[in-house]
Amino acid sequence: MTDKILAVWFSIGLSLLSFAQTSSTVKGVVVDAQTQTPVSGANIIGDRLYAVSSENGEFTLENVGTGTVIKVTHLGYSPAFVTIPADHRDRRIVVQLTETNTKLEEVQVVGNAKERSTRKFPLSTVEASGAFLEANRENSLMQTLSKIPGVSTINIGSGQSKPVIRGLGFNRVSVVQNGVKHEAQQWGNDHGLEIDQYGIEHIRIIKGPASLLYGSDAIAGVVDLQAPKIPEARSFTGEVNLLGESNNNLFGVSAGVQSRKDRWFYRARFTYRDYADYKVPADRINYESYIFELHKNRLRNTAGNEVNGAFSIGYIGSNIKSETFFSNVYAKNGFFANAHGLEVRTSSIDYDRSERDIDLPFHLVNHFKVINNTTFYEGQHTIDLELGFQNNHREEHSEPVPHGYMPKPDHSKERVFDKTTFSLNARNTFTPHEKHRVVFGINTEFQNNNISGWGFLIPKYNRFTAGIFAYDHIAISDKLSFQGGLRYDFGLVDTRPYVDWFPSTVKQSDGSTSSVYVQRAQHKNLRFGNISGSAGISYTTKNTSYKLHIGKSFRMPLSNELASDGVNYHMFRYEKGNLDLDPEASYQLDIDVDHNTKNFSLGISPFVNFFENFIYLNPTPNYYETVQIYEYTQSKVFRIGGELRFGYALTENLRMDASAEYVHSRQLNGPKKNFTLPFSPPFSGLISGNYQFRKDLLCFRHLQVTADYRITAKQDEIVPPENTTDGYQVLNLSVMSDLDLFSSLKQVQLRFKLNNVFNTRYFNHTSFYRMIDVPEAGRNVSLSLTIPF
Amino acid sequence: MKSNLKLWTIVLTTGIFFTSCSSDDDSMAKDEEKPEITINYDGGFPQACTELVKGETYNFRARITDNMALASYSLDIHHNFDHHTHDDQGAQCDLEPVKEAVNPMLYMENFSLADGPVSYEIDIPITISENVDTGDYHCMFSVTDQTGWQSRTSVDIKIIE
């Protein structure tokens, strides 16, 4: 306590003195001893001296005499003592901190605000470590993260999913990898996130409006897959991960190596997964009045495979850090054969001859990325550059059949999307005064989207966006900080014309009919501009942090929302864009209280949100060529909700955790006034018990058993054309242990997991197959081994 | 003692927050019912596996109802020579061998109901043209209500000489 009073006293004293005296300035940087990455939020304390290291680890001390001893502390690191050398004016002082964390502690840390910087960041943020990902690994990255309260997924079968934060998904959640926004066909119903979930060390999830920092689309939140830590100097490490699953007969292998000489380092990873049709606890699917008999409970043709490769090379110098990442993700997934979307299909394909093959309909996607991250440290400035090139190629194949006026096509390529995105972000972090950290920067992005195939949904387009932002993080005191900033974005969308490849019969105004090649998209140039911003405060004590944040975020309309004009036969709807759409603007108030002690933790994060003009695909009462017209429409939307989290260590070994999440949405005007929004997740809770064995059993070390019981309420808040979904309860069990197989230093990690223990038949309201009444996957046993070397 | 106070503040805030969310009032009435459509009544036409003769005129009839107001309906008749789909009537009709279409019948029409009735009988007279391909066809009725809910029903039929 005395320490804290002193620290506050010093900081006040120093802030008064700092403008008066300019002599004897000491500049330094705090780095992680192992990875050489900057450590932000470290406390630097000396006789009448106090500073906190900035985001890039830098600090400045004024009025320092030679020989002064400073103490540098940070949560999770051992304190370091440094004597200021005589020649400090000529060089920066580098303070190395050694981590005190052990792996097992890190697993528990998830869900809490781990780093001091996170605790002081005024938005509700969850950090997921590599250990958390390892302990909770599911079939896709987002399924792994859905254990975090407020995070859910839209699943497409067993191998694909897309992120949902507090009930909003698609283009309202930004996924950022190594600083560059992941750009694919996020708007698509059957599109999943094409990112290898292995090799990710740290994910930051922001629940709330984050356009200020992340630009358009970060309206509901951000999934930020951060660049992995730089390997230790003169090291070579690697790991092989093996995974087997019983439900979809999955076999997966992922192997990664990383090495560093002194200044140069590299990493490489290869992942391969292959899985069969997944099993559901049902013999037949009843969809409306159709009945699909299932062969051995398997959802036919939902098999898939995935091949990913990644390589990066980097350099770390005294004033520069740079890494270039190359990655390619390839996936091929079958779609349920009896109904593609809502369209019931019969086929002469013998789907049941093998559960591993992928027949029509299927999609394949290839995502290639090159990203460079470079940071320059120059005095009080840190300059970050992020350059990205990515190409997303996605093909949807289905058996060609005539539809409406379209004759039978002669190949299976229904839709092909080829999208290339160039990104450039530049950011300067500047510490003019130890209480201020000013950040300003730009984000620019150019997209080129090409289409082919016999089906038409969205036109070819080019899109350019640029945003400029500035914010200031002010450490008002040791405990209290403020962050606020403004941003302006500008966007240009250039849609290209599209004309049907077949003639349609069109009625003329005089009653006669004629045969015409219908033009579905016009050549249009659209411009958008938007101002967004946010302000928040955080108050942090030893065990508790309080945050209050208000922000305006936005999203540019997408080309499908602007210019769709085609029949989506799989959904039995005619999708009609609207060129008059405005950028979505959302205002949100967030509160976050987080309390953690050794044996007890409690967190609550409520929010209130108002959308001025939420864009959604509204089913109208009208028809176009006998399919229902769905029109992109905007309406005012009010949302309220939040998450609650509670944890208690009953004994030294046994810990209980409980969490709950809830979102309520209501459209305030428009054709669906009083209705909720599509894909609203129901109220849901998770109760977990974790028992850690303190003693080793045979060769099992750090043995722990976890039981997760998920309770989800009925969802009867729906909007056409959704169906209500009953509540459910599901139990998952897992056992984790380290094994002393080859060496006691590098222990093999073993994980045994039993999902859906009672083979419960239940429906997930936000699953892609929910609309055709397909239940979720049945019981699954998975075994995973991680072998380090 | 101080930390207890803090704890209670958190618990209370939580309580208020969750009770305020659950106090949903029902005055915000909204239409949550889909319209209904059926051909399973006397006069519903066509029934599963019905054979239509070229040159004849038939009245396609289905009954539609809604709790509030019906809006539009449509009828789609297209060939099923490739056996790409089947109906929802439960009966399995004997399908002819798969064949290529030459001049298949294609009927696609939309109709709107101006005054929003709660029940209506669709009655569309259609003459089967002499020059269309004979074989398996698929007939689908759809209906929407004013809210935008939709229901569909489909039936397998044949066109014969």
Side-chain angles (χ1 to χ4, degrees):
Chain A
M1 200 62 207
T2 338
D3 274 6
K4 274 200 214 158
I5 293 170
L6 279 175
V8 174
W9 173 243
F10 283 143
S11 61
I12 294 168
L14 192 70
S15 61
L16 292 173
L17 287 169
S18 57
F19 292 105
Q21 298 185 330
T22 51
S23 61
S24 310
T25 304
V26 170
K27 286 180 183 175
V29 63
V30 185
V31 294
D32 183 307
Q34 191 196 349
T35 62
Q36 295 298 309
T37 51
V39 175
S40 65
N43 283 304
I44 297 106
I45 303 166
D47 183 22
R48 299 187 62 197
L49 301 169
Y50 177 74
V52 176
S53 66
S54 68
E55 197 172 47
N56 42 60
E58 289 178 318
F59 65 90
T60 308
L61 292 171
E62 307 282 345
N63 198 25
V64 186
T66 302
T68 306
V69 178
I70 55 168
K71 180 184 175 187
V72 181
T73 59
H74 189 280
L75 273 179
Y77 290 97
S78 307
F81 294 89
V82 179
T83 308
I84 304 296
D87 63 346
H88 69 260
R89 280 189 190 83
D90 308 318
R91 61 188 181 98
R92 286 205 311 178
I93 294 162
V94 178
V95 183
Q96 313 244 1
L97 290 182
T98 316
E99 226 173 318
T100 53
N101 281 3
T102 70
K103 220 160 222 158
L104 277 174
E105 279 165 349
E106 256 182 81
V107 177
Q108 296 171 347
V109 148
V110 164
N112 311 351
K114 179 185 163 195
E115 293 176 41
R116 209 181 155 83
S117 63
T118 307
R119 297 182 74 204
K120 295 206 166 192
F121 181 70
L123 252 170
S124 191
T125 307
V126 182
E127 308 280 336
S129 65
F132 171 85
L133 297 174
E134 197 58 47
N136 294 286
R137 181 95 61 212
E138 295 289 344
N139 260 333
S140 63
L141 176 63
M142 286 318 303
Q143 286 167 358
T144 304
L145 294 176
S146 66
K147 203 178 167 184
I148 296 168
V151 178
S152 56
T153 62
I154 292 175
N155 296 332
I156 307 103
S158 68
Q160 288 194 94
S161 62
K162 53 206 298 160
V164 175
I165 294 179
R166 290 172 164 174
L168 297 180
F170 298 93
N171 283 74
R172 291 183 187 89
V173 171
S174 257
V175 178
V176 175
Q177 190 174 23
N178 300 329
V180 171
K181 200 168 142 222
H182 186 80
E183 279 293 345
Q185 306 291 343
Q186 297 100 306
W187 56 273
N189 275 299
D190 43 14
H191 159 273
L193 192 60
E194 43 293 81
I195 286 177
D196 186 358
Q197 67 162 321
Y198 290 93
I200 296 170
E201 282 180 11
H202 189 195
I203 301 178
R204 170 176 288 186
I205 292 167
I206 300 175
K207 296 185 283 183
S211 279
L212 172 66
L213 281 78
Y214 293 89
S216 173
D217 297 13
I219 207 160
V222 178
V223 178
D224 188 351
L225 314 167
Q226 301 188 334
K229 284 183 178 175
I230 291 168
E232 215 172 315
R234 289 170 297 281
S235 70
F236 176 86
T237 55
E239 58 161 43
V240 175
N241 182 288
L242 299 171
L243 174 69
E245 294 193 4
S246 68
N247 180 285
N248 58 357
N249 298 356
L250 177 140
F251 170 73
V253 57
S254 182
V257 289
Q258 55 177 12
S259 178
R260 177 171 156 199
K261 292 203 144 180
D262 197 22
R263 297 201 172 280
W264 288 93
F265 58 95
Y266 73 88
R267 306 173 222 269
R269 179 165 289 273
F270 174 79
T271 301
Y272 176 79
R273 287 148 58 87
D274 189 277
Y275 50 93
D277 301 346
Y278 72 100
K279 280 186 280 196
V280 293
D283 300 325
R284 52 167 60 182
I285 304 294
N286 282 301
Y287 160 57
E288 292 189 342
S289 25
Y290 297 100
I291 294 166
F292 313 128
E293 300 287 345
L294 298 183
H295 180 65
K296 293 182 182 168
N297 302 94
R298 291 197 184 267
L299 208 58
R300 53 178 66 85
N301 202 44
T302 55
N305 58 52
E306 193 181 318
V307 188
N308 311 324
F311 176 78
S312 80
I313 182 156
Y315 176 84
I316 180 162
S318 50
N319 287 316
I320 186 173
K321 188 179 87 183
S322 181
E323 186 167 7
T324 307
F325 305 86
F326 301 84
S327 67
N328 196 69
V329 170
Y330 170 87
K332 184 176 173 184
N333 305 79
F335 290 120
F336 181 43
N338 294 73
H340 185 189
L342 299 174
E343 187 194 13
V344 176
R345 296 289 289 265
T346 57
S347 171
S348 57
I349 297 172
D350 179 14
Y351 289 105
D352 298 334
R353 70 172 181 265
S354 160
E355 61 208 32
R356 285 207 98 82
D357 62 353
I358 305 164
D359 288 307
L360 295 168
F362 68 85
H363 83 160
L364 54 89
V365 62
N366 193 83
H367 200 106
F368 174 72
K369 272 187 189 180
V370 183
I371 293 173
N372 174 271
N373 289 357
T374 300
T375 307
F376 301 98
Y377 303 97
E378 197 52 65
Q380 292 170 320
H381 296 268
T382 303
I383 294 157
D384 290 287
L385 287 177
E386 287 139 7
L387 274 105
F389 166 83
Q390 46 190 323
N391 175 264
N392 182 283
H393 183 86
R394 181 163 180 268
E395 294 182 6
E396 276 181 50
H397 290 254
S398 57
E399 275 189 272
V401 291
H403 268 311
Y405 295 110
M406 183 186 77
K408 184 177 167 176
D410 56 6
H411 58 85
S412 68
K413 257 187 210 177
E414 181 173 4
R415 282 191 270 271
V416 180
F417 304 101
D418 193 82
K419 179 165 152 185
T420 303
T421 307
F422 297 89
S423 314
L424 169 65
N425 303 328
R427 193 166 56 246
N428 183 4
T429 308
F430 171 53
T431 321
H433 179 251
E434 83 267 10
K435 294 198 171 299
H436 287 267
R437 197 177 76 236
V438 178
V439 181
F440 57 91
I442 56 159
N443 303 120
T444 56
E445 192 189 78
F446 175 77
Q447 294 178 11
N448 169 252
N449 191 76
N450 285 298
I451 55 158
S452 58
W454 42 264
F456 174 76
L457 270 190
I458 65 163
K460 182 180 154 118
Y461 69 87
N462 290 322
R463 173 178 136 143
F464 174 78
T465 52
I468 176 163
F469 65 91
Y471 68 88
D472 189 4
H473 184 100
I474 308 165
I476 297 164
S477 74
D478 185 25
K479 292 175 176 172
L480 188 65
S481 43
F482 169 87
Q483 181 171 311
L486 275 176
R487 178 183 179 103
Y488 179 73
D489 281 87
F490 170 75
L492 277 176
V493 181
D494 172 24
T495 65
R496 314 301 297 182
Y498 178 85
V499 177
D500 275 346
W501 56 275
F502 55 89
S504 298
T505 306
V506 175
K507 270 198 185 118
Q508 303 299 333
S509 48
D510 62 359
S512 67
T513 58
S514 57
S515 186
V516 286
Y517 291 86
V518 178
Q519 176 158 10
R520 303 218 169 262
Q522 317 287 327
H523 181 203
K524 287 276 176 196
N525 268 308
L526 299 159
R527 284 160 178 272
F528 300 97
N530 190 280
I531 293 172
S532 51
S534 76
I537 51 169
S538 68
Y539 183 79
T540 316
T541 64
K542 185 166 163 269
N543 295 321
T544 314
S545 71
Y546 304 85
K547 296 173 178 183
L548 179 72
H549 183 267
I550 184 154
K552 182 202 173 195
S553 276
F554 80 104
R555 183 176 73 86
M556 301 251 177
L558 302 169
S559 78
N560 62 312
E561 294 165 335
L562 294 164
S564 278
D565 185 4
V567 177
N568 186 342
Y569 278 100
H570 305 311
M571 305 302 274
F572 276 109
R573 66 192 187 204
Y574 169 76
E575 297 176 6
K576 199 168 187 306
N578 180 353
L579 290 167
D580 298 326
L581 296 176
D582 294 319
E584 259 181 11
S586 156
Y587 301 87
Q588 187 162 318
L589 176 73
D590 277 276
I591 294 171
D592 185 278
V593 180
D594 200 68
H595 175 75
N596 285 296
T597 60
K598 189 167 171 277
N599 294 324
F600 177 73
S601 68
L602 184 68
I604 173 165
S605 44
F607 74 95
V608 181
N609 171 222
F610 173 71
F611 270 90
E612 229 168 53
N613 42 18
F614 188 94
I615 303 172
Y616 75 107
L617 192 55
N618 172 47
T620 72
N622 306 314
Y623 282 107
Y624 170 86
E625 290 181 3
T626 76
V627 289
Q628 194 178 0
I629 298 175
Y630 280 55
E631 244 171 352
Y632 283 99
T633 314
Q634 294 193 296
S635 66
K636 290 191 193 329
V637 171
F638 173 76
R639 303 190 322 127
I640 188 166
E643 301 82 37
L644 186 64
R645 181 180 68 73
F646 171 82
Y648 188 65
L650 294 166
T651 67
E652 185 99 325
N653 301 355
L654 181 64
R655 186 183 163 87
M656 296 297 295
D657 281 282
S659 64
E661 53 193 276
Y662 178 74
V663 187
H664 175 81
S665 313
R666 173 166 281 153
Q667 303 194 34
L668 301 178
N669 66 354
K672 294 293 178 285
K673 190 179 171 190
N674 293 337
F675 279 95
T676 184
L677 294 174
F679 290 108
S680 288
F683 178 80
S684 182
L686 181 70
I687 300 170
S688 306
N690 173 277
Y691 188 87
Q692 292 196 17
F693 292 83
R694 294 289 154 190
K695 285 179 184 163
D696 299 342
L697 268 96
L698 304 168
C699 62
F700 296 98
R701 299 212 167 171
H702 310 122
L703 184 66
Q704 54 173 316
V705 181
T706 309
D708 284 338
Y709 192 58
R710 168 76 68 185
I711 305 165
T712 298
K714 181 180 181 180
Q715 181 56 289
D716 48 14
E717 283 287 315
I718 53 164
V719 59
E722 293 180 341
N723 292 309
T724 60
T725 305
D726 285 337
Y728 63 87
Q729 285 139 43
V730 179
L731 178 69
N732 295 339
L733 293 174
S734 74
V735 179
M736 276 179 68
S737 176
D738 290 345
L739 289 176
D740 255 354
L741 282 188
F742 308 114
S743 125
S744 57
L745 281 174
K746 291 182 170 178
Q747 295 181 341
V748 172
Q749 287 169 12
L750 170 85
R751 195 185 61 133
F752 172 84
K753 210 157 187 270
L754 182 58
N755 277 11
N756 195 356
V757 174
F758 301 112
N759 205 26
T760 310
R761 184 172 178 273
Y762 68 100
F763 296 93
N764 179 350
H765 189 68
T766 60
S767 166
F768 177 69
Y769 287 128
R770 166 70 192 98
M771 59 190 174
I772 47 165
D773 292 324
V774 172
E776 291 299 294
R779 185 183 296 126
N780 180 36
V781 179
S782 78
L783 189 65
S784 136
L785 274 178
T786 304
I787 306 151
F789 56 84
Chain B
M1 204 53 219
K2 191 183 157 226
S3 71
N4 259 349
L5 188 71
K6 205 187 307 179
L7 195 70
W8 278 112
T9 320
I10 297 170
V11 171
L12 269 175
T13 328
T14 317
I16 293 163
F17 159 63
F18 272 91
T19 38
S20 66
C21 298
S22 54
S23 64
D24 245 3
D25 56 282
D26 293 324
S27 65
M28 308 272 199
K30 51 184 185 270
D31 174 20
E32 291 180 310
E33 275 183 52
K34 289 182 179 182
E36 284 178 22
I37 184 163
T38 183
I39 53 166
N40 295 315
Y41 68 100
D42 285 346
F45 187 86
Q47 296 292 314
C49 316
T50 298
E51 295 183 333
L52 308 178
V53 181
K54 279 192 195 174
E56 296 289 312
T57 297
Y58 299 92
N59 280 55
F60 284 66
R61 288 200 185 95
R63 190 182 280 160
I64 51 178
T65 53
D66 186 53
N67 62 323
M68 291 173 82
L70 293 162
S72 314
Y73 60 92
S74 74
L75 177 64
D76 180 327
I77 302 168
H78 59 264
H79 78 81
N80 191 24
F81 301 164
D82 55 0
H83 300 177
H84 70 272
T85 188
H86 59 86
D87 68 14
D88 59 1
Q89 302 298 308
Q92 282 291 325
C93 309
D94 291 329
L95 294 178
E96 290 172 16
V98 171
K99 66 174 185 181
E100 286 297 315
V102 181
N103 183 30
M105 174 176 172
L106 181 62
Y107 180 91
M108 292 197 292
E109 285 295 332
N110 314 317
F111 305 88
S112 53
L113 292 161
D115 43 355
V118 292
S119 74
Y120 184 79
E121 189 183 35
I122 297 173
D123 186 347
I124 308 165
I126 296 170
T127 304
I128 312 298
S129 167
E130 288 287 0
N131 54 11
V132 296
D133 297 348
T134 59
D136 296 302
Y137 282 82
H138 195 70
C139 166
M140 188 163 74
F141 290 98
S142 312
V143 59
T144 56
D145 69 10
Q146 226 115 65
T147 311
W149 292 107
Q150 180 183 229
S151 291
R152 295 178 287 137
T153 190
S154 65
V155 57
D156 285 344
I157 53 170
K158 279 182 200 300
I159 291 177
I160 56 169
E161 287 296 339

